[in-house]
Amino acid sequence: MTTYVVTIPGTLLAERTEASTETLQRALRPADPRGTRLGEEEHLEMLTFYSGSSAFSIRLEVEADDTESAERQARETVGAALRTAGYSQDEAPLGDAVITGITE
């Protein structure tokens, strides 16, 4: 197994509250990339909202056999976390997953 850092962009089309953001961060915490060697060196933030917009990116650490599996697992994790925070798929569409780091 290989450790991948996967970045997934998205846009919130519903209202973002402090409570929903905290819930989202808690739901994503097990996949926080700051626990990896790459994440520590690069000071990666798990959840970034871009100022003045509803656009965001989420960086996750996943263990997988290949990049396709890593991207799929990351999308599933992000989708589940967004649902936990109260956002439907229509309220938080996601862009393409991108592998932004690999450690073995």
Coordinates of all heavy atoms in Angstrom, one line a residue:
M1 N 0.8 -1.2 0.0 CA 0.0 0.0 0.0 C 0.9 1.2 0.0 O 1.9 1.3 0.6 CB -0.9 0.0 1.2 CG -2.0 -1.0 1.2 SD -3.4 -0.3 0.3 CE -4.7 -1.1 1.2
T2 N 0.4 2.3 -0.6 CA 1.0 3.5 -0.8 C 0.2 4.6 -0.1 O -1.1 4.5 -0.2 CB 1.3 3.9 -2.3 OG1 2.1 2.8 -2.8 CG2 2.0 5.2 -2.4
T3 N 0.8 5.6 0.5 CA 0.1 6.8 1.0 C 0.0 7.8 0.0 O 1.0 8.3 -0.6 CB 0.8 7.3 2.3 OG1 0.8 6.2 3.2 CG2 0.0 8.5 2.9
Y4 N -1.2 8.3 -0.3 CA -1.4 9.3 -1.3 C -2.0 10.6 -0.6 O -2.8 10.4 0.3 CB -2.4 8.9 -2.4 CG -1.9 7.8 -3.3 CD1 -2.1 6.5 -2.9 CD2 -1.3 8.1 -4.5 CE1 -1.7 5.4 -3.7 CE2 -0.8 7.0 -5.3 CZ -1.0 5.7 -4.9 OH -0.6 4.7 -5.7
V5 N -1.6 11.7 -1.0 CA -2.3 12.9 -0.6 C -3.2 13.4 -1.9 O -2.6 13.5 -2.9 CB -1.4 14.1 -0.2 CG1 -2.2 15.3 0.1 CG2 -0.6 13.6 1.0
V6 N -4.5 13.4 -1.7 CA -5.4 13.7 -2.8 C -6.1 15.1 -2.5 O -6.5 15.3 -1.4 CB -6.4 12.6 -2.9 CG1 -7.3 12.9 -4.1 CG2 -5.8 11.3 -3.1
T7 N -6.1 15.9 -3.5 CA -6.8 17.2 -3.3 C -8.1 17.2 -4.2 O -8.0 16.8 -5.4 CB -5.9 18.4 -3.8 OG1 -4.7 18.4 -3.0 CG2 -6.6 19.7 -3.6
I8 N -9.2 17.6 -3.6 CA -10.4 17.7 -4.3 C -11.0 19.1 -4.1 O -11.3 19.5 -3.0 CB -11.4 16.6 -3.7 CG1 -10.8 15.2 -3.9 CG2 -12.8 16.7 -4.4 CD1 -11.7 14.1 -3.3
P9 N -11.2 19.8 -5.2 CA -11.9 21.1 -5.1 C -13.4 21.0 -5.1 O -13.9 19.9 -5.6 CB -11.4 21.8 -6.4 CG -11.3 20.6 -7.4 CD -10.8 19.5 -6.6
G10 N -14.0 22.0 -4.7 CA -15.5 22.0 -4.7 C -16.0 23.4 -4.5 O -15.3 24.3 -4.3
T11 N -17.4 23.5 -4.5 CA -18.0 24.8 -4.3 C -19.2 24.5 -3.4 O -20.0 23.6 -3.7 CB -18.5 25.4 -5.6 OG1 -17.4 25.5 -6.5 CG2 -19.2 26.7 -5.4
L12 N -19.4 25.3 -2.4 CA -20.6 25.2 -1.5 C -21.7 26.2 -2.1 O -21.4 27.4 -2.2 CB -20.3 25.6 -0.1 CG -19.6 24.6 0.8 CD1 -19.5 25.2 2.2 CD2 -20.4 23.3 0.8
L13 N -22.8 25.6 -2.5 CA -23.9 26.4 -3.0 C -24.9 26.7 -1.9 O -25.9 27.4 -2.2 CB -24.5 25.6 -4.2 CG -23.6 25.3 -5.3 CD1 -24.3 24.5 -6.4 CD2 -22.9 26.6 -5.9
A14 N -24.7 26.1 -0.8 CA -25.6 26.3 0.4 C -24.8 27.2 1.4 O -23.6 27.3 1.3 CB -26.0 25.0 1.0
E15 N -25.5 27.7 2.4 CA -24.9 28.5 3.4 C -23.9 27.8 4.2 O -24.1 26.6 4.6 CB -25.9 29.1 4.3 CG -25.4 30.0 5.4 CD -26.4 30.5 6.4 OE1 -27.6 30.2 6.2 OE2 -26.1 31.2 7.3
R16 N -22.7 28.4 4.4 CA -21.7 27.8 5.3 C -21.7 28.4 6.6 O -21.7 29.7 6.7 CB -20.3 27.9 4.7 CG -19.2 27.4 5.6 CD -17.9 27.4 4.9 NE -17.4 28.6 4.4 CZ -16.3 29.3 5.0 NH1 -15.7 28.7 6.0 NH2 -15.9 30.4 4.5
T17 N -21.9 27.7 7.7 CA -21.9 28.2 9.0 C -20.7 27.7 9.8 O -20.0 26.7 9.3 CB -23.1 27.7 9.8 OG1 -23.1 26.3 10.0 CG2 -24.4 28.1 9.1
E18 N -20.4 28.3 10.9 CA -19.2 27.9 11.7 C -19.5 26.4 12.2 O -18.5 25.6 12.2 CB -19.1 28.8 12.9 CG -17.8 28.5 13.7 CD -17.6 29.5 14.8 OE1 -17.9 30.7 14.6 OE2 -17.2 29.1 15.9
A19 N -20.7 26.1 12.5 CA -21.0 24.8 13.0 C -20.8 23.7 11.9 O -20.3 22.6 12.1 CB -22.5 24.7 13.5
S20 N -21.3 24.0 10.7 CA -21.2 23.1 9.6 C -19.7 22.9 9.2 O -19.2 21.8 8.9 CB -22.0 23.5 8.4 OG -21.5 24.7 7.8
T21 N -18.9 24.0 9.3 CA -17.5 23.9 9.0 C -16.8 23.0 10.0 O -15.9 22.1 9.7 CB -16.8 25.3 8.9 OG1 -17.5 26.0 7.9 CG2 -15.3 25.2 8.6
E22 N -17.1 23.2 11.3 CA -16.5 22.4 12.4 C -16.9 20.9 12.2 O -16.1 20.0 12.4 CB -16.9 22.9 13.7 CG -16.3 24.2 14.1 CD -16.8 24.8 15.4 OE1 -17.6 24.1 16.2 OE2 -16.5 25.9 15.7
T23 N -18.2 20.6 11.9 CA -18.6 19.3 11.6 C -17.8 18.6 10.5 O -17.4 17.5 10.5 CB -20.1 19.2 11.4 OG1 -20.8 19.8 12.5 CG2 -20.6 17.8 11.1
L24 N -17.7 19.4 9.4 CA -16.9 18.9 8.2 C -15.5 18.6 8.6 O -15.0 17.5 8.3 CB -17.0 19.9 7.1 CG -16.3 19.6 5.8 CD1 -16.8 18.3 5.2 CD2 -16.4 20.8 4.8
Q25 N -14.8 19.5 9.4 CA -13.5 19.2 9.8 C -13.4 18.0 10.7 O -12.4 17.2 10.5 CB -12.9 20.4 10.5 CG -12.6 21.6 9.5 CD -12.2 22.8 10.3 OE1 -12.7 23.2 11.4 NE2 -11.3 23.6 9.6
R26 N -14.3 17.8 11.6 CA -14.3 16.6 12.4 C -14.4 15.3 11.6 O -13.8 14.3 11.8 CB -15.4 16.7 13.5 CG -15.0 17.4 14.8 CD -15.9 17.2 15.9 NE -17.3 17.4 15.6 CZ -17.9 18.6 15.6 NH1 -17.2 19.7 15.9 NH2 -19.2 18.7 15.3
A27 N -15.3 15.4 10.6 CA -15.6 14.2 9.8 C -14.4 13.9 8.9 O -14.1 12.7 8.6 CB -16.8 14.4 8.9
L28 N -13.6 14.9 8.6 CA -12.4 14.6 7.7 C -11.2 14.3 8.5 O -10.2 13.8 8.0 CB -12.1 15.9 6.9 CG -13.1 16.2 5.8 CD1 -12.9 17.6 5.2 CD2 -13.1 15.2 4.7
R29 N -11.2 14.6 9.8 CA -10.0 14.5 10.7 C -9.2 13.2 10.5 O -8.0 13.2 10.4 CB -10.3 14.7 12.1 CG -9.2 14.7 13.1 CD -8.6 16.0 13.5 NE -9.5 17.0 13.7 CZ -9.4 18.2 13.1 NH1 -8.5 18.5 12.2 NH2 -10.3 19.2 13.3
P30 N -9.8 12.0 10.4 CA -9.0 10.8 10.3 C -8.2 10.7 9.0 O -7.2 10.0 8.9 CB -10.1 9.7 10.2 CG -11.3 10.2 10.9 CD -11.2 11.7 10.6
A31 N -8.5 11.5 8.0 CA -7.7 11.6 6.8 C -6.9 12.8 6.6 O -6.4 13.1 5.5 CB -8.7 11.5 5.6
D32 N -6.6 13.5 7.7 CA -5.8 14.7 7.7 C -4.4 14.4 7.2 O -3.7 13.6 7.8 CB -5.8 15.3 9.1 CG -5.2 16.7 9.2 OD1 -4.5 17.1 8.2 OD2 -5.4 17.4 10.1
P33 N -3.9 15.1 6.1 CA -2.6 14.8 5.6 C -1.5 15.3 6.4 O -0.3 15.0 6.2 CB -2.6 15.5 4.2 CG -3.6 16.7 4.4 CD -4.6 16.1 5.3
R34 N -1.7 16.2 7.4 CA -0.7 16.7 8.3 C 0.0 15.6 9.1 O 1.1 15.8 9.6 CB -1.2 17.8 9.2 CG -1.4 19.1 8.4 CD -1.7 20.2 9.4 NE -3.2 20.1 9.6 CZ -3.8 20.9 10.4 NH1 -3.3 21.9 10.9 NH2 -5.1 20.7 10.6
G35 N -0.6 14.4 9.2 CA 0.0 13.3 9.9 C 1.1 12.6 9.0 O 1.8 11.8 9.5
T36 N 1.2 12.9 7.7 CA 2.1 12.2 6.9 C 3.4 13.0 6.8 O 3.4 14.2 7.1 CB 1.6 12.1 5.4 OG1 1.5 13.4 4.9 CG2 0.3 11.3 5.4
R37 N 4.5 12.4 6.4 CA 5.8 13.1 6.3 C 5.6 14.2 5.3 O 6.1 15.3 5.5 CB 6.8 12.1 5.8 CG 8.2 12.7 5.7 CD 9.3 11.6 5.5 NE 8.8 10.4 4.8 CZ 9.0 10.2 3.5 NH1 9.6 11.1 2.7 NH2 8.5 9.1 2.9
L38 N 4.9 14.0 4.2 CA 4.7 15.0 3.2 C 3.9 16.2 3.8 O 4.2 17.3 3.6 CB 4.0 14.4 2.0 CG 3.7 15.4 0.8 CD1 5.0 15.9 0.2 CD2 2.9 14.7 -0.2
G39 N 2.8 15.8 4.5 CA 2.0 16.9 5.0 C 2.7 17.7 6.1 O 2.5 18.9 6.1
E40 N 3.6 17.1 6.9 CA 4.3 17.9 7.9 C 5.3 18.8 7.2 O 5.5 20.0 7.5 CB 5.1 16.9 8.8 CG 4.2 16.2 9.7 CD 4.9 15.1 10.5 OE1 6.1 15.0 10.3 OE2 4.3 14.4 11.3
E41 N 6.0 18.3 6.1 CA 7.0 19.1 5.4 C 6.3 20.3 4.7 O 6.9 21.4 4.6 CB 7.8 18.2 4.4 CG 8.7 17.2 5.1 CD 9.3 16.2 4.1 OE1 9.1 16.4 2.9 OE2 10.0 15.3 4.6
E42 N 5.2 20.0 4.1 CA 4.5 21.0 3.3 C 3.5 21.9 4.0 O 2.9 22.8 3.4 CB 3.8 20.3 2.1 CG 4.7 19.5 1.2 CD 5.7 20.4 0.5 OE1 5.4 21.6 0.1 OE2 6.9 19.9 0.3
H43 N 3.3 21.6 5.3 CA 2.3 22.3 6.1 C 0.9 22.4 5.4 O 0.3 23.4 5.3 CB 2.8 23.8 6.4 CG 4.1 23.8 7.0 ND1 4.4 23.4 8.3 CD2 5.3 24.2 6.5 CE1 5.6 23.6 8.6 NE2 6.3 24.0 7.5
L44 N 0.5 21.2 5.0 CA -0.8 21.1 4.3 C -2.0 21.3 5.2 O -2.0 20.7 6.3 CB -0.9 19.7 3.7 CG 0.1 19.3 2.6 CD1 -0.1 17.9 2.1 CD2 0.0 20.3 1.4
E45 N -2.9 22.1 4.8 CA -4.1 22.3 5.5 C -5.2 21.3 4.9 O -5.2 21.2 3.6 CB -4.6 23.7 5.3 CG -3.8 24.8 6.0 CD -3.8 24.6 7.6 OE1 -4.8 24.2 8.1 OE2 -2.7 24.8 8.1
M46 N -5.9 20.7 5.7 CA -6.9 19.7 5.2 C -8.1 20.4 4.5 O -8.5 20.0 3.4 CB -7.5 19.0 6.4 CG -8.5 17.9 6.1 SD -9.0 17.0 7.6 CE -9.5 18.3 8.7
L47 N -8.6 21.5 5.0 CA -9.7 22.2 4.4 C -9.4 23.7 4.2 O -9.0 24.4 5.2 CB -10.9 22.1 5.4 CG -12.2 22.8 5.0 CD1 -12.8 22.3 3.7 CD2 -13.2 22.6 6.1
T48 N -9.5 24.1 3.0 CA -9.3 25.5 2.7 C -10.5 26.1 2.0 O -10.9 25.6 1.0 CB -8.0 25.7 1.8 OG1 -6.9 25.0 2.4 CG2 -7.7 27.1 1.4
F49 N -11.0 27.2 2.5 CA -12.0 28.0 1.8 C -11.3 29.2 1.3 O -10.5 29.9 2.0 CB -13.1 28.4 2.8 CG -14.1 27.3 3.0 CD1 -14.0 26.5 4.1 CD2 -15.2 27.1 2.1 CE1 -14.9 25.5 4.4 CE2 -16.1 26.1 2.4 CZ -15.9 25.3 3.5
Y50 N -11.6 29.6 0.0 CA -10.9 30.7 -0.6 C -11.7 32.0 -0.3 O -12.9 32.0 -0.4 CB -10.8 30.5 -2.1 CG -10.0 29.2 -2.4 CD1 -10.6 28.0 -2.7 CD2 -8.6 29.3 -2.2 CE1 -9.8 26.9 -2.8 CE2 -7.8 28.1 -2.4 CZ -8.4 26.9 -2.7 OH -7.7 25.8 -2.8
S51 N -11.0 33.0 0.1 CA -11.6 34.2 0.6 C -12.5 34.9 -0.5 O -12.2 34.9 -1.7 CB -10.6 35.3 1.0 OG -9.8 35.6 0.0
G52 N -13.7 35.3 -0.1 CA -14.6 36.0 -1.0 C -15.4 35.1 -1.9 O -16.0 35.6 -2.8
S53 N -15.3 33.8 -1.7 CA -16.0 32.9 -2.6 C -16.5 31.7 -1.8 O -16.1 31.5 -0.6 CB -15.2 32.4 -3.8 OG -14.2 31.4 -3.3
S54 N -17.2 30.8 -2.4 CA -17.7 29.6 -1.8 C -16.9 28.4 -2.2 O -17.2 27.3 -1.9 CB -19.2 29.4 -2.1 OG -19.4 29.3 -3.5
A55 N -15.8 28.7 -2.9 CA -14.9 27.6 -3.4 C -14.0 27.1 -2.3 O -13.6 27.9 -1.4 CB -14.1 28.1 -4.6
F56 N -13.8 25.8 -2.3 CA -12.9 25.2 -1.3 C -12.1 24.1 -1.9 O -12.3 23.6 -3.0 CB -13.8 24.6 -0.1 CG -14.7 23.5 -0.6 CD1 -14.2 22.2 -0.5 CD2 -16.0 23.8 -1.0 CE1 -15.1 21.2 -0.9 CE2 -16.8 22.7 -1.3 CZ -16.4 21.4 -1.3
S57 N -11.1 23.7 -1.2 CA -10.3 22.5 -1.5 C -10.1 21.7 -0.3 O -10.0 22.2 0.8 CB -9.0 22.8 -2.2 OG -8.2 23.5 -1.4
I58 N -10.1 20.3 -0.4 CA -9.9 19.4 0.7 C -8.7 18.5 0.3 O -8.7 18.0 -0.8 CB -11.2 18.6 1.0 CG1 -12.3 19.5 1.4 CG2 -10.9 17.5 2.0 CD1 -13.6 18.8 1.6
R59 N -7.8 18.4 1.2 CA -6.6 17.6 1.0 C -6.7 16.4 2.0 O -6.9 16.6 3.2 CB -5.3 18.3 1.2 CG -5.0 19.3 0.1 CD -3.8 20.1 0.5 NE -3.7 21.2 -0.4 CZ -4.4 22.4 -0.3 NH1 -5.2 22.5 0.7 NH2 -4.2 23.3 -1.2
L60 N -6.6 15.2 1.5 CA -6.8 14.0 2.3 C -5.6 13.1 2.1 O -5.0 13.0 1.1 CB -8.0 13.2 1.9 CG -9.4 13.9 1.9 CD1 -10.4 13.0 1.3 CD2 -9.7 14.3 3.3
E61 N -5.3 12.3 3.2 CA -4.4 11.2 3.1 C -5.2 9.9 3.0 O -6.1 9.7 3.7 CB -3.5 11.2 4.4 CG -2.7 9.9 4.5 CD -2.2 9.8 5.9 OE1 -1.8 10.7 6.6 OE2 -2.1 8.6 6.3
V62 N -4.8 9.1 2.0 CA -5.5 7.8 1.8 C -4.4 6.8 1.5 O -3.4 7.1 0.9 CB -6.5 7.8 0.7 CG1 -7.7 8.7 1.0 CG2 -5.9 8.2 -0.6
E63 N -4.7 5.6 2.0 CA -3.8 4.4 1.7 C -4.5 3.6 0.6 O -5.7 3.3 0.7 CB -3.7 3.5 2.9 CG -3.0 4.2 4.1 CD -1.5 4.2 3.9 OE1 -0.9 3.3 3.2 OE2 -0.8 5.1 4.4
A64 N -3.8 3.4 -0.5 CA -4.4 2.7 -1.6 C -3.3 2.0 -2.4 O -2.1 2.2 -2.3 CB -5.1 3.6 -2.5
D65 N -3.7 1.0 -3.3 CA -2.8 0.3 -4.1 C -2.4 1.1 -5.3 O -1.3 0.8 -5.9 CB -3.4 -1.0 -4.5 CG -3.6 -2.0 -3.4 OD1 -2.7 -2.0 -2.5 OD2 -4.6 -2.7 -3.4
D66 N -3.3 2.0 -5.8 CA -3.0 2.7 -7.0 C -3.7 4.1 -7.0 O -4.5 4.3 -6.1 CB -3.3 1.9 -8.3 CG -4.8 1.5 -8.2 OD1 -5.7 2.3 -8.0 OD2 -5.1 0.3 -8.5
T67 N -3.3 4.9 -8.0 CA -3.9 6.3 -8.0 C -5.4 6.3 -8.2 O -6.1 7.1 -7.6 CB -3.2 7.2 -9.0 OG1 -3.4 6.6 -10.3 CG2 -1.8 7.4 -8.7
E68 N -5.9 5.4 -9.0 CA -7.4 5.3 -9.3 C -8.1 5.0 -8.0 O -9.1 5.6 -7.6 CB -7.7 4.3 -10.3 CG -9.1 4.3 -10.7 CD -9.4 3.3 -11.8 OE1 -8.6 3.2 -12.8 OE2 -10.4 2.5 -11.7
S69 N -7.6 4.0 -7.2 CA -8.2 3.7 -6.0 C -8.1 4.8 -4.9 O -9.1 5.1 -4.2 CB -7.6 2.4 -5.4 OG -7.7 1.3 -6.2
A70 N -7.0 5.5 -4.9 CA -6.8 6.6 -4.0 C -7.8 7.7 -4.3 O -8.4 8.3 -3.4 CB -5.4 7.2 -4.1
E71 N -8.0 8.1 -5.6 CA -8.9 9.1 -5.9 C -10.3 8.8 -5.6 O -11.1 9.6 -5.1 CB -8.8 9.5 -7.4 CG -7.5 10.2 -7.8 CD -7.3 10.4 -9.3 OE1 -8.2 10.1 -10.1 OE2 -6.2 10.8 -9.7
R72 N -10.7 7.5 -5.9 CA -12.1 7.0 -5.6 C -12.3 7.1 -4.0 O -13.3 7.6 -3.6 CB -12.3 5.6 -6.1 CG -13.7 5.1 -5.9 CD -13.9 3.7 -6.5 NE -13.0 2.7 -6.0 CZ -12.0 2.2 -6.7 NH1 -11.8 2.5 -7.9 NH2 -11.1 1.3 -6.1
Q73 N -11.4 6.6 -3.3 CA -11.5 6.6 -1.8 C -11.6 8.0 -1.3 O -12.4 8.3 -0.4 CB -10.3 5.8 -1.2 CG -10.4 5.7 0.3 CD -9.2 4.9 0.9 OE1 -8.5 4.2 0.2 NE2 -9.0 5.1 2.1
A74 N -10.8 8.9 -1.8 CA -10.8 10.3 -1.3 C -12.2 10.9 -1.6 O -12.8 11.6 -0.8 CB -9.7 11.1 -2.0
R75 N -12.7 10.7 -2.8 CA -14.1 11.2 -3.2 C -15.1 10.7 -2.3 O -16.0 11.4 -1.9 CB -14.4 10.9 -4.7 CG -13.6 11.8 -5.6 CD -14.0 11.5 -7.1 NE -15.3 12.2 -7.3 CZ -15.5 13.5 -7.6 NH1 -14.4 14.3 -7.5 NH2 -16.7 14.0 -7.8
E76 N -15.1 9.4 -2.0 CA -16.0 8.8 -1.1 C -15.9 9.4 0.3 O -17.0 9.7 1.0 CB -15.8 7.3 -1.0 CG -16.2 6.6 -2.3 CD -15.8 5.1 -2.3 OE1 -15.2 4.6 -1.3 OE2 -16.0 4.4 -3.3
T77 N -14.7 9.6 0.8 CA -14.5 10.2 2.1 C -15.0 11.6 2.2 O -15.7 12.0 3.1 CB -13.0 10.2 2.5 OG1 -12.6 8.8 2.5 CG2 -12.8 10.8 3.8
V78 N -14.7 12.4 1.2 CA -15.2 13.8 1.1 C -16.7 13.9 1.0 O -17.4 14.6 1.7 CB -14.5 14.6 -0.1 CG1 -15.2 15.9 -0.3 CG2 -13.0 14.8 0.2
G79 N -17.3 13.0 0.2 CA -18.8 13.0 0.0 C -19.4 12.7 1.3 O -20.4 13.3 1.7
A80 N -18.9 11.7 2.0 CA -19.5 11.3 3.3 C -19.4 12.4 4.3 O -20.3 12.7 5.1 CB -18.8 10.0 3.8
A81 N -18.2 13.1 4.4 CA -18.0 14.2 5.3 C -18.9 15.3 5.0 O -19.5 15.9 6.0 CB -16.5 14.6 5.3
L82 N -19.1 15.7 3.8 CA -20.0 16.7 3.4 C -21.5 16.4 3.8 O -22.2 17.3 4.3 CB -20.0 17.1 1.9 CG -18.7 17.8 1.5 CD1 -18.5 17.7 0.0 CD2 -18.7 19.2 1.9
R83 N -21.9 15.2 3.6 CA -23.2 14.7 4.0 C -23.4 14.8 5.5 O -24.4 15.3 6.1 CB -23.5 13.3 3.5 CG -23.8 13.3 2.0 CD -24.4 11.9 1.6 NE -23.5 10.8 1.9 CZ -22.4 10.5 1.1 NH1 -22.2 11.1 0.0 NH2 -21.6 9.4 1.5
T84 N -22.3 14.4 6.3 CA -22.3 14.5 7.7 C -22.5 16.0 8.2 O -23.2 16.3 9.2 CB -21.0 13.9 8.3 OG1 -21.0 12.6 8.0 CG2 -21.0 14.1 9.8
A85 N -21.9 16.9 7.4 CA -22.0 18.3 7.7 C -23.3 18.9 7.2 O -23.6 20.1 7.4 CB -20.8 19.1 7.1
G86 N -24.2 18.1 6.6 CA -25.5 18.6 6.2 C -25.6 19.1 4.8 O -26.6 19.7 4.4
Y87 N -24.6 18.8 3.9 CA -24.7 19.2 2.5 C -25.0 18.1 1.6 O -24.3 17.0 1.7 CB -23.3 19.9 2.1 CG -22.9 21.1 2.9 CD1 -21.9 21.0 3.9 CD2 -23.6 22.3 2.7 CE1 -21.6 22.2 4.6 CE2 -23.3 23.4 3.5 CZ -22.3 23.3 4.4 OH -21.9 24.4 5.1
S88 N -25.9 18.3 0.7 CA -26.2 17.3 -0.3 C -25.2 17.4 -1.4 O -24.5 18.4 -1.5 CB -27.6 17.5 -0.8 OG -27.7 18.7 -1.6
Q89 N -25.2 16.4 -2.3 CA -24.3 16.4 -3.4 C -24.6 17.7 -4.3 O -23.7 18.2 -4.9 CB -24.5 15.2 -4.2 CG -23.5 15.0 -5.3 CD -23.6 13.6 -6.0 OE1 -24.5 12.8 -5.7 NE2 -22.7 13.3 -6.9
D90 N -25.8 18.1 -4.4 CA -26.2 19.2 -5.2 C -25.7 20.5 -4.6 O -25.5 21.5 -5.3 CB -27.7 19.3 -5.5 CG -28.2 18.2 -6.4 OD1 -27.4 17.7 -7.2 OD2 -29.4 17.9 -6.3
E91 N -25.6 20.5 -3.2 CA -25.2 21.8 -2.5 C -23.7 21.9 -2.4 O -23.3 23.0 -2.1 CB -25.8 21.7 -1.1 CG -27.3 21.8 -1.0 CD -27.9 21.6 0.3 OE1 -27.4 20.8 1.1 OE2 -28.8 22.4 0.7
A92 N -23.0 20.8 -2.7 CA -21.5 20.9 -2.6 C -20.9 20.1 -3.8 O -20.3 19.0 -3.5 CB -21.1 20.4 -1.3
P93 N -21.1 20.5 -5.0 CA -20.5 19.8 -6.1 C -19.0 19.8 -6.0 O -18.3 20.7 -5.6 CB -21.0 20.5 -7.4 CG -21.3 21.9 -6.9 CD -21.7 21.7 -5.5
L94 N -18.4 18.6 -6.4 CA -16.9 18.4 -6.3 C -16.3 18.4 -7.7 O -16.9 18.0 -8.7 CB -16.6 17.1 -5.6 CG -17.1 17.0 -4.2 CD1 -16.8 15.6 -3.7 CD2 -16.5 18.0 -3.3
G95 N -15.1 18.9 -7.8 CA -14.3 18.8 -9.0 C -13.6 17.5 -9.1 O -13.7 16.6 -8.3
D96 N -12.7 17.5 -10.1 CA -11.8 16.3 -10.2 C -10.8 16.1 -9.1 O -10.2 17.1 -8.7 CB -11.1 16.3 -11.6 CG -12.1 16.2 -12.7 OD1 -13.2 15.6 -12.6 OD2 -11.7 16.7 -13.8
A97 N -10.6 14.9 -8.6 CA -9.6 14.6 -7.6 C -8.2 14.7 -8.3 O -8.1 14.2 -9.5 CB -9.9 13.3 -7.0
V98 N -7.2 15.2 -7.6 CA -5.9 15.2 -8.1 C -4.9 14.7 -7.1 O -5.0 15.1 -5.9 CB -5.5 16.7 -8.5 CG1 -4.1 16.8 -8.9 CG2 -6.5 17.3 -9.5
I99 N -4.0 13.8 -7.5 CA -3.0 13.3 -6.6 C -1.9 14.4 -6.4 O -1.3 14.9 -7.4 CB -2.3 12.1 -7.1 CG1 -3.3 11.0 -7.4 CG2 -1.2 11.6 -6.2 CD1 -4.0 10.4 -6.2
T100 N -1.7 14.9 -5.2 CA -0.8 16.0 -5.0 C 0.4 15.6 -4.2 O 1.3 16.4 -3.9 CB -1.5 17.2 -4.3 OG1 -2.2 16.7 -3.1 CG2 -2.5 17.9 -5.3
G101 N 0.5 14.3 -3.8 CA 1.6 13.8 -3.1 C 1.6 12.3 -2.9 O 0.5 11.7 -2.9
I102 N 2.7 11.6 -2.9 CA 2.8 10.2 -2.8 C 4.0 9.9 -1.9 O 5.1 10.4 -2.1 CB 3.0 9.5 -4.1 CG1 1.9 9.8 -5.1 CG2 3.2 8.0 -3.9 CD1 2.1 9.3 -6.5
T103 N 3.8 9.1 -0.8 CA 4.9 8.6 0.0 C 4.7 7.1 0.1 O 3.6 6.5 0.1 CB 4.9 9.2 1.4 OG1 3.6 8.9 2.0 CG2 5.1 10.7 1.3
E104 N 5.8 6.4 0.3 CA 5.8 5.0 0.4 C 6.3 4.5 1.7 O 7.0 5.2 2.4 CB 6.5 4.3 -0.7 CG 5.8 4.6 -2.0 CD 6.2 3.7 -3.2 OE1 6.3 2.5 -2.9 OE2 6.3 4.2 -4.3

